[in-house]
Amino acid sequence: MEKIKKITIIGSGFSALAASCYLAKSGHNVTVYEKNATIGGRARQLKKEGFTFDMGPSWYWMPDVFDRFFADFDKKTTDYYELIKLSPAYRVYYGIDDFITIADNLTEIIAAFEAIEKGSGALLQDFMARAKSNYDIAIKDLVYRPGVSPLELITTKTALKVGEFFSNISRDVRKKFKNERLIQILEFPVLFLGAKPSDTPSFYSFMNYADFGLGTWHPKTGMFDVVRAMESLALELGVAFETNANIEKIIVENKTAVAIQVNGTIVKSDLILSGADYHHTETLLDQEFRAYSEKYWDSRVFAPSSLLFYVGFDKKIENISHHALFFDVDFYQHAKDIYDEPQWPKEPLFYANFPSLTDKTAAPEGMESGFFLVPLAPGINDTEALREEYFDKIIDRFETLTQQSVKNNIIFKESFCKNDFVSEYNSYKGNAYGMANTLLQTAFLRPKLKSKKVKNLYFTGQLTVPGPGVPPALISGKLVSELINKQFSEQ
């Protein structure tokens, strides 16, 4: 294969970091340009007054995908960071002293289901067997295909599953289970894919296996451990990093990407790969070179945005787990407020994460670090007043449901919402997770890894193949690097 002189990568999120490692391993000269002061994209870290927060992803699922990534470089995750399996995995709160605990193993989860709804234990066992089968097909095979052709989805194994692409998670779960709480717990994992359970193909039940079958893990000092690990690997492979490097334009000559303009300086390159927001990246091109119109982007189903709070407490918080979901209000009304009639939800579901329960470095001794998240419609109106109003709403409920006072123990809180997703990450409509994995936005129906209009311009990340989430981002980086290497081997 001909070795090219220089590959420029825009952005330093998980997909860009993964691609940088694969391309450097292939012998290319790779430089990563990041507009912010630190790398990691949405997985940056916030440090304040002795507290440490992961600013974005906080769930470590599908450990096998991370293992597979590092194994591609003859490394192990343990060469870089330590993993802790969370026990319990998480709790789901429904009322005062009323919650369901999700254990760290399937046997106990089956028993918990059976205790709530007689007969549901055996049904869950059957459901999980199918979910594992789907996981084996999807994660070990399908998602490692580049989304170039519909034929990629047709294998001897998927032929037996074709009906699962045309049914949906919600319908499947409701056929088996009647208890509304159990239904919501089984529908919850697909929310990571960015769409309502009723719009997510049944095949994606593999997320339930990721949840109950493989468990929920936590890198010892947070998700930023993974960013540090990938940066360390990239540096070992010879990748260069430039931070505070805002890309202003992608320069095209003879329908070929030849350079970027970064902070007013032209940097020539043999190939450009963007791990930044796909829509934003195309705005760096002159109109004639954009493969997707504004109408196209506006017609897509996007994953939610989020209202996030990073909170430092001056005491330990009680009656809580590392991950906690608050489903004490109408699950389906909130989904409707995100997807069907976009608006701020009157009664929001929310998620809370207390990393200092697991990681003693996340907060000073005797204190607690808390991360709160409310899913919101992308493109929504975002003001400081609304942020304050919703913080008060969720903290009042948090105090009631966990039966303690915490409001007067807040040392500080930092918020992050739609406007910040736009300004910090150039995120389309301020979405937090990318483009949803609905039937019509799966695999070859997603925006392409390779530009259709500009030679030597490629894309990676959550708006392209395979989709939202950290494990898919690692896979996206691998897929695009393989396409790039294929192009150069054919020249």
Side-chain angles (χ1 to χ4, degrees):
M1 184 186 74
E2 179 192 345
K3 302 298 186 289
I4 67 168
K5 291 181 181 176
K6 183 171 179 60
I7 291 179
T8 291
I9 297 182
I10 303 172
S12 67
F14 283 115
S15 58
L17 289 174
S20 77
C21 292
Y22 285 112
L23 291 166
K25 183 191 175 191
S26 297
H28 302 304
N29 178 352
V30 180
T31 304
V32 174
Y33 292 86
E34 167 56 55
K35 77 181 274 288
N36 292 314
T38 57
I39 69 161
R42 286 163 164 78
R44 290 185 302 161
Q45 205 174 44
L46 170 66
K47 285 180 175 284
K48 184 170 180 174
E49 297 181 32
F51 294 82
T52 302
F53 304 88
D54 285 316
M55 292 187 70
S58 58
W59 294 76
Y60 191 105
W61 274 5
M62 304 185 188
D64 52 319
V65 174
F66 296 85
D67 292 342
R68 186 166 168 177
F69 169 77
F70 285 102
D72 283 342
F73 303 90
D74 298 318
K75 303 281 188 181
K76 298 190 289 290
T77 53
T78 50
D79 293 335
Y80 297 98
Y81 57 88
E82 182 185 332
L83 279 179
I84 299 162
K85 192 173 191 184
L86 296 181
S87 181
Y90 55 94
R91 277 184 187 170
V92 186
Y93 288 78
Y94 295 97
I96 298 169
D97 200 26
D98 179 14
F99 56 81
I100 295 174
T101 298
I102 303 302
D104 67 350
N105 64 88
L106 186 54
T107 303
E108 285 185 56
I109 296 169
I110 287 169
F113 268 55
E114 183 63 29
I116 292 167
E117 181 182 314
K118 193 165 174 54
S120 67
L123 291 171
L124 179 61
Q125 201 153 12
D126 175 60
F127 182 81
M128 290 304 297
R130 284 179 60 194
K132 183 183 186 304
S133 165
N134 288 355
Y135 189 90
D136 289 342
I137 293 168
I139 303 303
K140 294 177 183 176
D141 184 13
L142 284 189
V143 294
Y144 285 92
R145 299 180 181 213
V148 173
S149 159
L151 297 177
E152 293 170 9
L153 294 178
I154 302 168
T155 69
T156 51
K157 291 177 180 175
T158 58
L160 302 173
K161 302 264 186 183
V162 70
E164 294 192 39
F165 286 94
F166 295 98
S167 185
N168 65 66
I169 291 286
S170 188
R171 190 181 303 151
D172 277 17
V173 168
R174 286 168 186 281
K175 274 182 198 167
K176 289 181 178 290
F177 303 92
K178 298 292 173 264
N179 182 280
E180 202 59 45
R181 293 181 176 187
L182 300 184
I183 289 168
Q184 287 175 8
I185 288 170
L186 288 169
E187 289 182 337
F188 152 68
V190 301
L191 298 179
F192 285 106
L193 301 172
K196 289 191 300 185
S198 57
D199 289 333
T200 302
S202 303
F203 184 71
Y204 285 103
S205 68
F206 65 72
M207 291 296 291
N208 294 104
Y209 179 71
D211 179 2
F212 291 174
L214 296 174
T216 302
W217 301 75
H218 185 72
K220 189 175 181 181
T221 61
M223 289 293 285
F224 199 70
D225 284 0
V226 187
V227 174
R228 279 198 204 97
M230 295 178 76
E231 178 190 30
S232 179
L233 175 60
L235 290 169
E236 288 172 48
L237 293 163
V239 176
F241 288 88
E242 298 278 348
T243 52
N244 296 307
N246 185 42
I247 311 301
E248 296 148 338
K249 189 170 178 64
I250 296 171
I251 296 164
V252 177
E253 293 175 2
N254 300 320
K255 297 185 179 177
T256 303
V258 296
I260 55 169
Q261 181 178 313
V262 51
N263 294 337
T265 302
I266 303 297
V267 178
K268 292 191 174 177
S269 182
D270 296 296
L271 183 139
I272 294 163
L273 166 61
S274 179
D277 179 275
Y278 203 125
H279 169 270
H280 169 73
T281 304
E282 287 218 312
T283 68
L284 302 175
L285 296 162
D286 290 337
Q287 188 81 44
E288 64 189 292
F289 300 123
R290 297 174 193 173
Y292 300 97
S293 66
E294 288 298 322
K295 187 178 175 185
Y296 168 85
W297 291 112
D298 195 49
S299 69
R300 300 300 90 185
V301 178
F302 274 83
S305 186
S306 295
L307 169 59
L308 303 165
F309 294 101
Y310 313 103
V311 187
F313 295 96
D314 69 5
K315 69 170 185 178
K316 301 305 286 182
I317 306 297
E318 299 172 353
N319 308 327
I320 199 67
S321 60
H322 183 118
H323 294 296
L325 304 167
F326 291 84
F327 286 2
D328 54 308
V329 296
D330 191 332
F331 184 96
Y332 302 102
Q333 183 57 49
H334 190 150
K336 192 175 173 185
D337 291 340
I338 294 172
Y339 296 104
D340 302 337
E341 297 164 15
Q343 60 185 297
W344 282 78
K346 290 182 180 64
E347 298 291 340
L349 303 166
F350 68 97
Y351 154 66
N353 167 16
F354 294 90
S356 45
L357 289 178
T358 306
D359 168 19
K360 301 310 172 194
T361 69
E365 193 172 347
M367 301 186 187
E368 209 87 85
S369 60
F371 169 111
F372 295 82
L373 181 152
V374 178
L376 295 172
I380 205 161
N381 183 38
D382 170 18
T383 67
E384 283 301 321
L386 280 164
R387 295 185 191 196
E388 285 300 312
E389 178 188 336
Y390 276 76
F391 183 74
D392 288 341
K393 279 188 180 197
I394 64 173
I395 284 295
D396 285 347
R397 279 179 32 220
F398 180 82
E399 287 187 326
T400 301
L401 294 168
T402 62
Q403 301 177 75
Q404 66 194 308
S405 170
V406 300
K407 218 181 262 185
N408 295 331
N409 299 97
I410 294 171
I411 303 169
F412 66 84
K413 73 173 189 296
E414 296 270 340
S415 67
F416 197 97
C417 196
K418 179 231 129 188
N419 290 349
D420 302 300
F421 280 102
V422 172
S423 65
E424 297 291 300
Y425 310 129
N426 295 310
S427 169
Y428 183 71
K429 293 187 177 179
N431 80 80
Y433 310 107
M435 188 186 286
N437 265 332
T438 60
L439 177 62
L440 297 179
Q441 293 181 176
T442 290
F444 66 96
L445 296 172
R446 297 178 71 79
K448 301 298 183 192
L449 292 165
K450 183 178 182 180
S451 171
K452 294 189 283 188
K453 292 196 172 183
V454 180
K455 191 182 176 191
N456 293 350
L457 175 61
Y458 288 79
F459 300 85
T460 187
Q462 57 188 9
L463 296 192
T464 180
V465 180
V470 179
L474 299 186
I475 295 166
S476 187
K478 179 173 186 171
L479 293 175
V480 77
S481 64
E482 289 172 345
L483 280 185
I484 290 168
N485 284 335
K486 182 169 181 271
Q487 173 184 321
F488 287 111
S489 68
E490 290 171 352
Q491 284 183 348

